[in-house]
Amino acid sequence: MSKTFYKLSVIFLIISFGCSKDEVEGPLLNEIFGNFQLNSSFIISNNSPDFSNSNELVKFHCDFNKSIEWKISILGLESGSLKEISGFSNLIDSNQINWNGNTSQVPFFKKELCAVELSFLNEVDTLRDTINILETKVYDGIVVADFENGIPQEAIVFHQFSMNMTFDISNDDPLEGNNYFKMGGRMGWNEWFLGSLDIPLDLASVNTPATDFYINLGVLSGINGETASDQFINILVSESTYPFNDDLSNNASDVFQDTMEVYKYQIRPVDWYGWKMISLSYDQFEVKSSGGNNLREPKNITAIKIQCQSCPGANANCPENMGIDVRTDVDFLILTQGSDLLSQ
Amino acid sequence: MKKYRSLLLLVLYIVLPNLYFSQKSDKIWIDGLGRSFFSSDAQINEEDTISASNISSGYNLIDLNTHINPFETIEIFGQVRIKNEFGSFFGSGTQIDIRQLRASGIIKNKVKFSVGDLFLKQNKFTLYNYDEELNFFENNYNSSYKEIVDYENFYFENRWRLQGIQTNFSYKFDRFIRTLEFDLFTTRPRGSSQINSGLNTSISDMLISGGSMVSKLNKSFTAELNYVLLKELPATGTVERAIRNPVYQMGINYNNKSENSIINHKLQAGFSERNWSYKSVDDSTSELNKGMFAEFSSSYFKIDSTFSLNLGYRYVDPNFRSSGAQTRRIEMNETNVGSIYSLYSNDYLVRPISVFDIVTDPNIYNQNISGTLMSFDPIFSNALPYGDATPNRQGIFLDGKYNSKNKILNINFKTSYFNEVIGQGTTQKRNFFTILQSSDINLKEIFNHTKEFDLSFSTMNQITSREGDSIERVNLNSQHFNLLIEKEILSKLFLQLSLKRFESKGNEYINKRNEYGEIFTFQSLNIIRVDNLYCYGIKYKYRENVYINLQYNLWNSNFNNSNYPDLNFQRFLFIFSIKL
């Protein structure tokens, strides 16, 4: 038996000494710490895209010697719209990295020339090119209000009668198209609520759950580089079955009353300058008044209310608002399913 | 709360005399530990004008171990801790905890069992609590600190403290084989607990179960089988994935005893599997790792214990994963920081773990089994950061011991040469050469003193190297030196002087692992670091386990890095320890 033991031991030693493999654990060091080098030029598949065709894509390709954080920036030279695509890899694969004309940051792209730039983190190399957009992208969704033909039919506009109230259509700085809806002014007394826009909806044909149902709204803020302190927007969504525009009392609370099924999301503060696209999935809305089943069912939505509110200058907390108008203008209220607007 | 304290004192007042009387009948007996600990730390860094210049803290504690033997074959054991932090008034700030509970017994004089807190150990590749870095040969260089670190973390004979049930039994045979011994256990090292109260999410229960079978085949041969399984129970939590990690080991041992010596050969091998399963997808697993290990070693012992030598070869696959054997005592990451001055300098830098923390701070140590490889600092332990079970290693090792017959000299040494089985981040492989020795010299015998007089010193040198281009190349050299002089100046009163110096110089890459324990990137390390710890003190030993120790410690870490100012601290320490 002891001889067998020794034989086994010798066999084990012979086998073990041969156990060396040419495999690698983890990423290659040269990819992480090696000098960066481009292996190919930056290739753009289509420099004159027509994004109105939903199948039209601009594809990008480039490969380099190591995995690195890279970023493709597309800047609309007229609109100022910006699309950024980024990743960490040693290859920009044209089968995966493409652009369908959407934007990362509103305003939207126009029919315009765009500057394209490929840059790399902590590297000086930057590759540049241009794209000329022949037709812009058409976003898929239920457009609730783009204000191109004025205020939507049956909508209710309510506002206080104080200073510089601007609850009306305007065309000086639209987000999309030619018009937008201005919501602002200045309160002369201690009242937070300035005004609101209520729009009736019929979404019976929608079958998407609340987690995949998005309310997208462009919001414009800032006057001469300043914003009023603590100005904000409340978005109220009603699933009430009461008839719309039946009760204009109590600041036009109508189908958004405390006894009805109403959900709320507060965009607070609105403290940026220029346009910003706000996208909210419906499941993020809180129960404002539990007059229903609290389930947030998109198909049951009957109305939406956009409320402009701000800390009034007459309030001891924000006397500085006596000298500045509130501005929470809105445009392009669109409901999307499956993803938010800018992810399309 | 006051009401409960009064009630407890009343209960103790009534029960303690009874316990004394019960002790006579051997049905209830008490032992335990008492400790007073006080430390005053001061930072002497000129660049740091923000941190407090002096911090002091301490506590008194009593651990009462109650052993109740209702029958000869049954014991119920409970350890109650009463701890009072310094600075709190009588009663307030006092903690009372149940620290350990266990019931054990023997059924029909054949089957032993234990329920409750268990201290478990199997094979070095299946379930084993390896020593922390910089600790070798169970030295006495900072024994007062070491005792506290081990006691507070339940480190006992390289066992893991786990809660569950264990049983063992054995058979004797008169033909074919001589004995057959079994040891089986199942434990729950981690219970389900909440991760996020807002989202109502919780992690799952983790179980470790296993068994050992040892058989003496004949006079010379012994065979062993070990199995351990770590498993999360997904139904007990809301986390989507659950780990499963079985490890198998088998070995055969050959003993040849002659008149003066014993020669032992051991051949063992095993394999492991680890994967994650997902609740939402039936029969789905991911990140599957399968790996094996094998080891052959030969030992020579002189029966009079004056000399021993052990030589062996070990192969551990890169994918060998054994949670019970690869869990480390210290997680070396940014979140594990020392108890004192965890932030330092005017920039509020996180103070990295130093030699002083490893030696003195029980709070940086870990008591939980980890399903994935924990992080380590290559400057302290690069060759075998997960002990013998370190994956991706193959090589030879040699260790030995010499004790002079006149008891003047005691020498231990270990050396090893390992290399990686596969490269990390490159096809080039690291080589690790380690040599360490420890010597104890009994100066009392040499100088014919009547009182104790001992000198001990140890050295460790670990060299890591890797060939390749300028990025792949690695060269890290860590050296560690210890010195202890202990002189009995009056009866039972010892003067102590110890020095610990650690130096690491060179470059390395630190592995960064993801939630599945896979390397996702490397952090480059270029270091010239020196840590020193000087301890001067006196120790009065009433008995071996009852002593008062007064120490002055001076310690520093020099990083030679303009981004990390050097550290300079001092400590005054008082320990009064009584172990019954």
Side-chain angles (χ1 to χ4, degrees), chain A residues 115-136:
Chain A
V116 185
E117 193 176 275
L118 171 61
S119 58
F120 307 93
L121 186 68
N122 298 328
E123 299 295 342
V124 293
D125 302 71
T126 303
L127 305 172
R128 294 186 176 87
D129 205 336
T130 56
I131 291 174
N132 186 25
I133 300 174
L134 299 180
E135 289 295 337
T136 58

Side-chain angles (χ1 to χ4, degrees), chain B residues 19-287:
Chain B
L19 294 180
Y20 169 76
F21 291 116
S22 303
Q23 196 170 355
K24 284 188 169 176
S25 66
D26 289 335
K27 289 200 169 179
I28 297 179
W29 54 283
I30 288 178
D31 60 7
L33 177 138
R35 187 192 308 141
S36 284
F37 181 98
F38 175 80
S39 66
S40 175
D41 295 279
Q43 62 104 352
I44 44 179
N45 305 298
E46 286 176 6
E47 301 85 6
D48 191 346
T49 58
I50 292 174
S51 304
S53 57
N54 193 294
I55 297 170
S56 58
S57 63
Y59 57 84
N60 287 312
L61 68 80
I62 299 170
D63 285 345
L64 282 174
N65 301 339
T66 308
H67 306 258
I68 303 169
N69 298 97
F71 316 106
E72 235 178 60
T73 53
I74 296 283
E75 178 176 280
I76 297 160
F77 166 77
Q79 186 178 66
V80 179
R81 165 164 288 191
I82 305 169
K83 186 176 180 182
N84 191 24
E85 298 282 346
F86 278 172
S88 52
F89 290 101
F90 173 75
S92 72
T94 302
Q95 298 168 287
I96 300 172
D97 299 310
I98 304 293
R99 200 162 176 261
Q100 288 186 69
L101 277 177
R102 182 172 57 252
S104 49
I106 302 171
I107 300 170
K108 298 247 179 206
N109 239 359
K110 284 186 173 62
V111 180
K112 279 187 184 172
F113 70 91
S114 295
V115 185
D117 292 298
L118 311 171
F119 291 85
L120 297 176
K121 179 169 77 171
Q122 270 190 344
N123 182 271
K124 283 189 166 187
F125 297 90
T126 54
L127 184 65
Y128 196 85
N129 184 352
Y130 283 96
D131 290 335
E132 68 277 13
E133 32 273 277
L134 309 183
N135 176 33
F136 32 82
F137 304 125
E138 296 180 355
N139 60 64
N140 289 318
Y141 296 107
N142 301 92
S143 58
S144 299
Y145 281 124
K146 177 68 180 155
E147 278 174 26
I148 294 173
V149 166
D150 286 355
Y151 183 84
E152 293 302 312
N153 289 286
F154 301 98
Y155 296 156
F156 166 65
E157 292 179 350
N158 299 105
R159 293 167 186 272
W160 282 110
R161 183 238 196 180
L162 301 162
Q163 289 179 321
I165 183 164
Q166 179 194 21
T167 182
N168 56 61
F169 48 91
S170 61
Y171 298 97
K172 281 186 180 173
F173 300 91
D174 54 8
R175 65 184 66 183
F176 304 123
I177 59 173
R178 292 189 172 188
T179 63
L180 196 54
E181 297 166 20
F182 292 91
D183 187 285
L184 307 168
F185 67 88
T186 185
T187 64
R188 192 185 75 153
R190 190 192 70 205
S192 175
S193 62
Q194 200 166 55
I195 305 168
N196 185 316
S197 58
L199 300 172
N200 197 24
T201 52
S202 57
I203 53 171
S204 314
D205 280 357
M206 180 188 276
L207 300 186
I208 294 184
S209 307
S212 302
M213 188 183 77
V214 179
S215 175
K216 197 164 173 52
L217 303 175
N218 58 35
K219 189 181 155 191
S220 303
F221 280 92
T222 309
E224 64 173 315
L225 281 172
N226 287 290
Y227 168 75
V228 68
L229 170 69
L230 175 135
K231 188 173 167 52
E232 282 175 331
L233 303 177
T236 57
T238 59
V239 176
E240 177 67 11
R241 63 200 173 96
I243 192 173
R244 183 176 174 275
N245 178 207
V247 186
Y248 307 82
Q249 180 270 350
M250 59 210 83
I252 189 156
N253 217 356
Y254 170 71
N255 251 313
N256 184 7
K257 192 174 179 181
S258 66
E259 194 179 332
N260 298 318
S261 63
I262 302 171
I263 291 176
N264 175 276
H265 304 297
K266 183 169 184 180
L267 179 63
Q268 60 175 323
F271 62 97
S272 73
E273 191 181 315
R274 189 190 62 182
N275 60 50
W276 275 267
S277 58
Y278 294 86
K279 261 194 220 176
S280 55
V281 190
D282 289 343
D283 301 326
S284 72
T285 57
S286 76
E287 314 297 326

Side-chain angles (χ1 to χ4, degrees), chain B residues 500-511:
Chain B
K500 188 182 277 285
R501 179 181 171 81
F502 175 83
E503 186 174 348
S504 188
K505 190 191 285 186
N507 78 299
E508 235 305 5
Y509 292 96
I510 298 175
N511 303 338

Side-chain angles (χ1 to χ4, degrees), chain A residues 139-147 152 176 201 332-336:
Chain A
Y139 287 93
D140 183 24
I142 303 164
V143 179
V144 177
D146 58 8
F147 307 104
E176 170 73 359
L201 292 168
F332 205 47
L333 174 58
I334 179 170
L335 309 177
T336 57

